[in-house]
């Protein structure tokens, strides 16, 4: 996929398509609890495996990830 809600980079974005994350790095997870929800229009393949593979659940507690990793400034 070229980006959330589109198949190729220059295509218009479909704002009804994407992923809602229900858990963040460091959150407690209970078996059977949803980690994310995939939104789609029912046409074409749904990338459920790609979303599932983006998560790693481990038994030990891990530190939360920072909400902001950095700030991009325009080059002058």
């Amino acid at each position: 996929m070229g980006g959330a809600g589109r198949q190729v980079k220059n295509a218009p974005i479909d704002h009804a398509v994407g992923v809602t994350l229900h858990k963040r790095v460091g959150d407690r997870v209970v078996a059977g609890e949803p980690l994310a929800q995939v939104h789609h229009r029912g046409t074409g393949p749904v990338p459920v495996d790609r979303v599932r593979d983006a998560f790693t659940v481990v038994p030990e507690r891990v530190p939360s990830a920072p909400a902001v990793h950095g700030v991009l400034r325009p080059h002058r």
Side-chain angles (χ1 to χ4, degrees), residues 24-48:
R24 295 175 48 156
V25 173
D27 286 351
R28 186 171 188 268
V29 176
V30 176
E33 189 173 31
L35 303 177
Q37 180 178 5
V38 176
H39 304 279
H40 65 95
R41 289 202 182 265
T43 58
V46 179
V48 174

Side-chain angles (χ1 to χ4, degrees), residues 10-67:
N10 294 328
I13 295 173
D14 183 347
H15 294 283
V17 177
V19 177
T20 300
L21 299 177
H22 297 294
K23 294 293 180 178
R24 295 175 48 156
V25 173
D27 286 351
R28 186 171 188 268
V29 176
V30 176
E33 189 173 31
L35 303 177
Q37 180 178 5
V38 176
H39 304 279
H40 65 95
R41 289 202 182 265
T43 58
V46 179
V48 174
D49 290 340
R50 289 181 66 185
V51 174
R52 182 184 309 117
D53 293 345
F55 289 89
T56 302
V57 179
V58 296
E60 64 275 358
R61 181 163 171 68
V62 297
S64 298

